[in-house]
Amino acid sequence: MSTPNSPCAACKFLRRKCTQECVFAPYFPPDQPQKFANVHRVFGASNVAKLLNELNTVQREDAVNSLAYEAEARLRDPVYGCVGLISILQHRLKELQSDLYNAKKELAQYIGPQAMLPTLQTKRICLRRIWQFAAALAAREHQDMFRAYEQQQEIVRFNRGFDISDTVTTTGFNQITVAAMSPSLALGSFDTSYQVQPQQVDHHQHHQLQAQLFLQPQQAQPQPHEQQQTQQQHQPSGSDEGGSIGPSC
Ligand SMILES: [Zn+2]
């Protein structure tokens, strides 16, 4: 929009007085001189003025933007003009549609023919499949945990077989067995509410000493450094079951 003291780009280019009724002034501001120069060179100022006068005010801005775009493209590419750009974009669009079709075909091998539906429906189906997969994965992890817990119990029963004087007391699933944890160390590291029952050593060279700690998982954890040291001292043969989750009888 030109100010009273500053003519619009069209009037400045045409070296004429810019009036309040100037049809170019709202669309060719003085700070964009090249825009009118392009339009004038390709279409001619009188043709543009005639065209704008025939249009509603609300349509004029779109028309000017279209003319400016077409004029610039024609000056860049005198043979094809904006048709060249349109052709390139249409070609690219076809390529992308082909890529999308191939991707849907590949997806259909996993989720079935629904993949060929419009994109929004495919997205919903994919999300549902992902949720189902996540649920199945969680269930499998739960099974693995339960299996590890059962293996732990086998070891506990095995150890009890060596030492009948010991009692292994467990009360629930959410307990932690700490192998070779000495009772004094455990009591020093935990609250007094934790019960520690050491397992007796066998009479062979393993000298395993295990303790059952009745520890809720949300509560404080034993200090891993001390735990590991003790484990190495009392269990030279090594046991992978130390510290695993979930023992009970
Ligand atoms: Zn003007």
Side-chain angles (χ1 to χ4, degrees):
M1 183 71 77
S2 63
T3 61
N5 296 327
S6 174
C8 71
C11 292
K12 195 173 181 182
F13 185 91
L14 298 172
R15 299 176 185 277
R16 67 181 193 185
K17 184 176 171 57
C18 190
T19 62
Q20 291 285 339
E21 293 77 28
C22 176
V23 72
F24 298 117
Y27 317 108
F28 295 100
D31 58 343
Q32 296 179 13
Q34 195 60 43
K35 184 180 178 184
F36 180 80
N38 292 343
V39 168
H40 174 61
R41 188 170 167 190
V42 174
F43 299 104
S46 60
N47 290 328
V48 175
K50 196 187 299 180
L51 189 146
L52 290 179
N53 282 321
E54 290 173 357
L55 289 174
N56 294 327
T57 311
V58 292
Q59 295 177 307
R60 289 180 182 178
E61 186 172 1
D62 288 338
V64 168
N65 288 336
S66 178
L67 289 172
Y69 181 83
E70 290 181 46
E72 187 181 352
R74 180 63 61 179
L75 292 171
R76 286 175 190 270
D77 182 357
V79 177
Y80 295 107
C82 67
V83 176
L85 293 173
I86 291 168
S87 178
I88 291 171
L89 290 174
Q90 281 182 337
H91 180 69
R92 182 75 187 127
L93 181 62
K94 283 181 182 173
E95 280 183 344
L96 290 173
Q97 285 173 335
S98 173
D99 290 347
L100 182 61
Y101 176 78
N102 290 331
K104 283 184 171 183
K105 248 172 64 174
E106 190 176 345
L107 185 61
Q109 295 175 358
Y110 298 98
I111 70 168
Q114 306 98 311
M116 305 309 288
L117 294 172
T119 309
L120 274 178
Q121 294 182 33
T122 309
K123 190 177 172 185
R124 281 193 214 104
I125 291 168
C126 287
L127 280 175
R128 196 166 62 229
R129 293 292 170 136
I130 289 169
W131 291 333
Q132 289 171 352
F133 179 74
L137 194 66
R140 197 169 66 184
E141 284 184 359
H142 186 264
Q143 284 180 349
D144 289 345
M145 283 180 61
F146 188 73
R147 196 173 299 118
Y149 155 73
E150 287 181 329
Q151 289 172 354
Q152 177 78 14
Q153 293 318 298
E154 288 295 324
I155 291 168
V156 169
R157 281 193 284 274
F158 178 77
N159 289 337
R160 290 180 67 188
F162 278 99
D163 182 11
I164 56 172
S165 65
D166 183 36
T167 57
V168 178
T169 306
T170 54
T171 57
F173 186 80
N174 291 326
Q175 294 176 344
I176 293 180
T177 300
V178 180
M181 169 70 79
S182 70
S184 60
L185 181 62
L187 287 173
S189 304
F190 293 96
D191 294 336
T192 53
S193 59
Y194 301 142
Q195 303 172 29
V196 178
Q197 292 191 349
Q199 281 190 328
Q200 188 56 275
V201 297
D202 60 20
H203 301 292
H204 300 288
Q205 293 180 350
H206 291 323
H207 300 291
Q208 290 185 345
L209 182 62
Q210 290 188 338
Q212 290 293 109
L213 296 178
F214 303 122
L215 172 64
Q216 298 301 316
Q218 293 81 7
Q219 291 175 314
Q221 297 293 319
Q223 295 180 11
H225 179 64
E226 296 179 359
Q227 192 178 342
Q228 191 176 359
Q229 270 191 339
T230 314
Q231 188 171 352
Q232 287 173 351
Q233 289 169 1
H234 295 272
Q235 199 171 3
S237 62
S239 170
D240 293 338
E241 301 301 327
S244 63
I245 297 175
S248 89
C249 286

mmCIF file of all heavy atoms in Angstrom, residues 133-150:
data_model
loop_
_atom_site.group_PDB
_atom_site.id
_atom_site.type_symbol
_atom_site.label_atom_id
_atom_site.label_comp_id
_atom_site.label_asym_id
_atom_site.label_seq_id
_atom_site.Cartn_x
_atom_site.Cartn_y
_atom_site.Cartn_z
ATOM 1 N N PHE A 133 0.879 -55.562 19.175
ATOM 2 C CA PHE A 133 2.227 -56.106 19.252
ATOM 3 C C PHE A 133 2.850 -55.782 20.600
ATOM 4 O O PHE A 133 3.499 -56.623 21.224
ATOM 5 C CB PHE A 133 3.069 -55.523 18.119
ATOM 6 C CG PHE A 133 4.483 -55.990 18.127
ATOM 7 C CD1 PHE A 133 4.793 -57.274 17.733
ATOM 8 C CD2 PHE A 133 5.498 -55.153 18.541
ATOM 9 C CE1 PHE A 133 6.099 -57.712 17.739
ATOM 10 C CE2 PHE A 133 6.806 -55.590 18.547
ATOM 11 C CZ PHE A 133 7.108 -56.869 18.150
ATOM 12 N N ALA A 134 2.637 -54.530 21.068
ATOM 13 C CA ALA A 134 3.194 -54.131 22.359
ATOM 14 C C ALA A 134 2.598 -54.967 23.484
ATOM 15 O O ALA A 134 3.305 -55.396 24.398
ATOM 16 C CB ALA A 134 2.939 -52.652 22.602
ATOM 17 N N ALA A 135 1.294 -55.231 23.402
ATOM 18 C CA ALA A 135 0.654 -56.038 24.439
ATOM 19 C C ALA A 135 1.206 -57.459 24.427
ATOM 20 O O ALA A 135 1.482 -58.045 25.484
ATOM 21 C CB ALA A 135 -0.858 -56.048 24.223
ATOM 22 N N ALA A 136 1.399 -58.011 23.228
ATOM 23 C CA ALA A 136 1.940 -59.368 23.129
ATOM 24 C C ALA A 136 3.357 -59.419 23.674
ATOM 25 O O ALA A 136 3.748 -60.360 24.364
ATOM 26 C CB ALA A 136 1.913 -59.825 21.668
ATOM 27 N N LEU A 137 4.134 -58.361 23.388
ATOM 28 C CA LEU A 137 5.511 -58.306 23.877
ATOM 29 C C LEU A 137 5.533 -58.247 25.400
ATOM 30 O O LEU A 137 6.319 -58.945 26.054
ATOM 31 C CB LEU A 137 6.197 -57.078 23.290
ATOM 32 C CG LEU A 137 7.716 -57.031 23.405
ATOM 33 C CD1 LEU A 137 8.313 -58.142 22.560
ATOM 34 C CD2 LEU A 137 8.235 -55.690 22.946
ATOM 35 N N ALA A 138 4.647 -57.432 25.972
ATOM 36 C CA ALA A 138 4.593 -57.318 27.428
ATOM 37 C C ALA A 138 4.220 -58.659 28.043
ATOM 38 O O ALA A 138 4.777 -59.078 29.066
ATOM 39 C CB ALA A 138 3.591 -56.238 27.834
ATOM 40 N N ALA A 139 3.272 -59.375 27.419
ATOM 41 C CA ALA A 139 2.856 -60.674 27.944
ATOM 42 C C ALA A 139 4.018 -61.660 27.889
ATOM 43 O O ALA A 139 4.230 -62.448 28.814
ATOM 44 C CB ALA A 139 1.672 -61.201 27.141
ATOM 45 N N ARG A 140 4.784 -61.601 26.821
ATOM 46 C CA ARG A 140 5.904 -62.532 26.691
ATOM 47 C C ARG A 140 6.979 -62.220 27.736
ATOM 48 O O ARG A 140 7.566 -63.128 28.327
ATOM 49 C CB ARG A 140 6.504 -62.437 25.287
ATOM 50 C CG ARG A 140 7.373 -63.635 24.955
ATOM 51 C CD ARG A 140 7.743 -63.661 23.513
ATOM 52 N NE ARG A 140 8.607 -62.544 23.152
ATOM 53 C CZ ARG A 140 9.012 -62.284 21.923
ATOM 54 N NH1 ARG A 140 8.598 -63.038 20.929
ATOM 55 N NH2 ARG A 140 9.788 -61.262 21.659
ATOM 56 N N GLU A 141 7.222 -60.939 27.977
ATOM 57 C CA GLU A 141 8.195 -60.584 29.005
ATOM 58 C C GLU A 141 7.737 -61.064 30.373
ATOM 59 O O GLU A 141 8.529 -61.529 31.185
ATOM 60 C CB GLU A 141 8.408 -59.075 29.023
ATOM 61 C CG GLU A 141 9.280 -58.595 27.875
ATOM 62 C CD GLU A 141 9.561 -57.108 27.953
ATOM 63 O OE1 GLU A 141 9.049 -56.471 28.887
ATOM 64 O OE2 GLU A 141 10.280 -56.603 27.080
ATOM 65 N N HIS A 142 6.429 -60.952 30.605
ATOM 66 C CA HIS A 142 5.903 -61.436 31.861
ATOM 67 C C HIS A 142 6.126 -62.935 31.996
ATOM 68 O O HIS A 142 6.494 -63.443 33.056
ATOM 69 C CB HIS A 142 4.403 -61.107 31.941
ATOM 70 C CG HIS A 142 3.797 -61.451 33.258
ATOM 71 N ND1 HIS A 142 3.144 -62.640 33.475
ATOM 72 C CD2 HIS A 142 3.765 -60.774 34.429
ATOM 73 C CE1 HIS A 142 2.717 -62.679 34.718
ATOM 74 N NE2 HIS A 142 3.078 -61.563 35.321
ATOM 75 N N GLN A 143 5.923 -63.666 30.898
ATOM 76 C CA GLN A 143 6.158 -65.112 30.923
ATOM 77 C C GLN A 143 7.627 -65.418 31.195
ATOM 78 O O GLN A 143 7.946 -66.336 31.955
ATOM 79 C CB GLN A 143 5.747 -65.719 29.578
ATOM 80 C CG GLN A 143 4.246 -65.846 29.420
ATOM 81 C CD GLN A 143 3.888 -66.455 28.079
ATOM 82 O OE1 GLN A 143 4.747 -66.591 27.215
ATOM 83 N NE2 GLN A 143 2.625 -66.803 27.910
ATOM 84 N N ASP A 144 8.522 -64.632 30.589
ATOM 85 C CA ASP A 144 9.948 -64.854 30.814
ATOM 86 C C ASP A 144 10.303 -64.637 32.274
ATOM 87 O O ASP A 144 11.071 -65.393 32.869
ATOM 88 C CB ASP A 144 10.767 -63.902 29.936
ATOM 89 C CG ASP A 144 10.686 -64.296 28.471
ATOM 90 O OD1 ASP A 144 10.241 -65.439 28.202
ATOM 91 O OD2 ASP A 144 11.037 -63.472 27.610
ATOM 92 N N MET A 145 9.721 -63.573 32.852
ATOM 93 C CA MET A 145 9.979 -63.312 34.264
ATOM 94 C C MET A 145 9.486 -64.461 35.123
ATOM 95 O O MET A 145 10.150 -64.895 36.060
ATOM 96 C CB MET A 145 9.282 -62.014 34.695
ATOM 97 C CG MET A 145 9.994 -60.754 34.242
ATOM 98 S SD MET A 145 9.130 -59.286 34.775
ATOM 99 C CE MET A 145 9.195 -59.467 36.538
ATOM 100 N N PHE A 146 8.308 -64.980 34.777
ATOM 101 C CA PHE A 146 7.748 -66.073 35.567
ATOM 102 C C PHE A 146 8.615 -67.312 35.422
ATOM 103 O O PHE A 146 8.842 -68.045 36.388
ATOM 104 C CB PHE A 146 6.320 -66.351 35.092
ATOM 105 C CG PHE A 146 5.595 -67.325 35.968
ATOM 106 C CD1 PHE A 146 5.159 -66.948 37.227
ATOM 107 C CD2 PHE A 146 5.382 -68.620 35.539
ATOM 108 C CE1 PHE A 146 4.504 -67.850 38.036
ATOM 109 C CE2 PHE A 146 4.723 -69.529 36.345
ATOM 110 C CZ PHE A 146 4.285 -69.144 37.596
ATOM 111 N N ARG A 147 9.145 -67.527 34.202
ATOM 112 C CA ARG A 147 10.002 -68.691 33.977
ATOM 113 C C ARG A 147 11.284 -68.559 34.788
ATOM 114 O O ARG A 147 11.748 -69.510 35.428
ATOM 115 C CB ARG A 147 10.315 -68.829 32.491
ATOM 116 C CG ARG A 147 10.855 -70.183 32.116
ATOM 117 C CD ARG A 147 10.982 -70.333 30.617
ATOM 118 N NE ARG A 147 9.713 -70.205 29.929
ATOM 119 C CZ ARG A 147 9.418 -69.281 29.038
ATOM 120 N NH1 ARG A 147 10.311 -68.384 28.709
ATOM 121 N NH2 ARG A 147 8.245 -69.261 28.459
ATOM 122 N N ALA A 148 11.862 -67.358 34.805
ATOM 123 C CA ALA A 148 13.066 -67.133 35.598
ATOM 124 C C ALA A 148 12.780 -67.340 37.073
ATOM 125 O O ALA A 148 13.608 -67.890 37.815
ATOM 126 C CB ALA A 148 13.584 -65.714 35.360
ATOM 127 N N TYR A 149 11.603 -66.921 37.469
ATOM 128 C CA TYR A 149 11.207 -67.105 38.856
ATOM 129 C C TYR A 149 11.094 -68.591 39.203
ATOM 130 O O TYR A 149 11.565 -69.055 40.250
ATOM 131 C CB TYR A 149 9.871 -66.397 39.067
ATOM 132 C CG TYR A 149 9.035 -66.924 40.194
ATOM 133 C CD1 TYR A 149 9.398 -66.669 41.511
ATOM 134 C CD2 TYR A 149 7.888 -67.655 39.936
ATOM 135 C CE1 TYR A 149 8.626 -67.155 42.543
ATOM 136 C CE2 TYR A 149 7.119 -68.140 40.952
ATOM 137 C CZ TYR A 149 7.491 -67.903 42.261
ATOM 138 O OH TYR A 149 6.733 -68.378 43.268
ATOM 139 N N GLU A 150 10.568 -69.386 38.283
ATOM 140 C CA GLU A 150 10.455 -70.822 38.520
ATOM 141 C C GLU A 150 11.831 -71.478 38.579
ATOM 142 O O GLU A 150 12.083 -72.343 39.420
ATOM 143 C CB GLU A 150 9.619 -71.470 37.414
ATOM 144 C CG GLU A 150 8.142 -71.158 37.536
ATOM 145 C CD GLU A 150 7.343 -71.841 36.452
ATOM 146 O OE1 GLU A 150 7.878 -72.039 35.354
ATOM 147 O OE2 GLU A 150 6.180 -72.177 36.709
#
